Amino acid sequence: MKFRSMLMATVGAAAMFAGSASAQEAATVAFLMPDQASTRYEEHDYPGFKAEMEKLCASCTVIYQNANADAALQQQQFNSVIAQGAKVVVLDPVDSSAAAALVEIAHSQDVKVIAYDRPIPDKPADFYVSFDNEGIGYAIAKSLVDHLKASSVPEGSGVLQINGSPTDAAAGLIRDGIHRGLKDSGYKTLAEFDTPEWAPPKAQEWAAGQITRFGADIKGVVAANDGTGGGAIAAFKAAGVNPVPPVTGNDATIAALQLIISRDQYNTISKPSEIVAAAAANVAVKLLKGETPEAKTTLYDTASELFVPAVVTAENIKAEIFDKGIQKPEEVCTGEYAEGCKKLGITQ
């Protein structure tokens, strides 16, 4: 009788373990992105995450939602995916401060949260995966400073600084990196702007006002991403400024690559989002298995893995973008950009 009881207990435990393993294999994972102002989420992040999840957990269900820069909508989406049984939520927050409450909600229901791209400073997530945002800000600013000096722009000359959204902690890190890159450069910041929702039209409107205010005193623009940089370039063109002062960017969008080829934008950051998306998928699967993902560093008391991206200018665009297969010449070297591509050796 005693043996029978022990056998039943062992069988019961095995069944529970098998059920747990099965639940992990068929688990639901949510991938919640913040906005559509940048095309990267639809074109790179989500496809990269989904592809890696299919490799690692073919029976897992992936739910994708985009909040379109609406923090209230993102909260609804967050609650919805938990109600649908998500055991891990990969969250790129619209509002980094408001996201702390979402982490608390998830943890109260034994749901894991991976902060993605943008950190959540006020409440540690279970893991954080991103490119090194502070490093990005420093790199684009330092690249611009080096270019201005190589172009014999005298010290004391002025630059504009266009940051990202004030509700995005990653934008704050990029801003801090830009400050560090400009600090001992010898160049002065004429004016600085936090761009609501990273919206290019708002960056363009602000830049237009500064062009009216400072005119030819603007020798360069440190913009936090390609959208805000593109907004600044549009403002200079609308004002009839030719040539446009060197403008930075970040994300290596097709539009930005074309502007670099036409020499209207000075630099961008090549950060194939698929790299971070794949890393997030790997972390998600480890969390589903009850394992502890390996942290390479810690940020905001959160175990983290931060990837270091490359600065792209006209000088290395062929090697960094086209030779590595990040973009195809036929997708970028169209229309008015065809001749510039030939000059840079991208096409024959």
Side-chain angles (χ1 to χ4, degrees), residues 38 40 132-141 144 160-166 168 170-178 192-195 198 203 206 221-232 247-252 265 267-269 271:
S38 174
R40 55 170 281 197
D132 181 353
N133 288 298
E134 198 274 346
I136 286 171
Y138 177 77
I140 57 176
L144 179 70
L160 299 178
Q161 179 172 338
I162 306 179
N163 304 319
S165 170
D168 175 0
L173 292 170
I174 295 171
R175 176 201 63 217
D176 293 346
I178 293 172
E192 182 175 346
F193 179 64
D194 293 337
T195 310
W198 289 94
W206 179 81
V221 179
V222 190
N225 80 340
D226 291 335
T228 55
V247 177
T248 73
N250 162 33
D251 286 336
Q265 182 168 323
N267 72 22
T268 188
I269 291 284
K271 50 178 192 182

Side-chain angles (χ1 to χ4, degrees), residues 1 114 118 138 161 164 196 276 299 303 310:
M1 197 65 186
I114 301 170
R118 305 174 181 181
Y138 177 77
Q161 179 172 338
V276 179
L299 187 68

Side-chain angles (χ1 to χ4, degrees), residues 33-243:
M33 295 296 100
D35 62 63
Q36 295 177 355
S38 174
T39 58
R40 55 170 281 197
Y41 302 114
E42 317 288 327
E43 295 177 0
H44 300 286
D45 295 78
Y46 173 55
F49 181 79
K50 191 170 185 287
E52 191 69 11
M53 284 297 299
E54 286 173 352
K55 287 186 205 171
L56 300 171
C57 184
S59 59
C60 283
T61 299
V62 176
I63 302 173
Y64 173 63
Q65 299 281 349
N66 189 303
N68 201 22
D70 185 334
L73 176 58
Q74 187 167 68
Q75 181 169 354
Q76 293 172 16
Q77 293 172 342
F78 193 91
N79 293 335
S80 174
V81 298
I82 291 179
Q84 292 176 66
K87 294 302 178 187
V88 176
V89 179
V90 180
L91 176 64
D92 193 340
V94 174
D95 186 321
S96 297
S97 296
L102 302 183
V103 176
E104 287 189 11
I105 290 170
H107 286 171
S108 72
Q109 299 183 51
D110 199 26
V111 174
K112 304 293 187 183
V113 177
I114 301 170
Y116 182 88
D117 190 41
R118 305 174 181 181
I120 303 171
D122 298 333
K123 180 71 176 179
D126 296 281
F127 207 86
Y128 174 49
V129 180
S130 180
F131 285 100
D132 181 353
N133 288 298
E134 198 274 346
I136 286 171
Y138 177 77
I140 57 176
K142 180 69 164 53
S143 171
L144 179 70
V145 166
D146 290 346
H147 176 65
L148 293 177
K149 289 182 176 179
S151 304
S152 300
V153 175
E155 288 194 2
S157 297
V159 298
L160 299 178
Q161 179 172 338
I162 306 179
N163 304 319
S165 170
T167 64
D168 175 0
L173 292 170
I174 295 171
R175 176 201 63 217
D176 293 346
I178 293 172
H179 287 163
R180 181 162 66 91
L182 293 177
K183 183 178 178 183
D184 298 317
S185 67
Y187 299 111
K188 63 182 179 181
T189 302
L190 298 171
E192 182 175 346
F193 179 64
D194 293 337
T195 310
E197 302 169 1
W198 289 94
K202 294 178 181 178
Q204 180 176 345
E205 181 182 0
W206 179 81
Q210 307 316 302
I211 293 166
T212 300
R213 181 181 176 190
F214 295 109
D217 291 341
I218 304 169
K219 301 302 182 184
V221 179
V222 190
N225 80 340
D226 291 335
T228 55
I233 291 166
F236 281 110
K237 286 182 171 295
V241 177
N242 187 26

Side-chain angles (χ1 to χ4, degrees), residues 11-26:
V11 171
M16 286 178 63
F17 177 79
S20 175
S22 175
Q24 288 167 5
E25 288 170 6

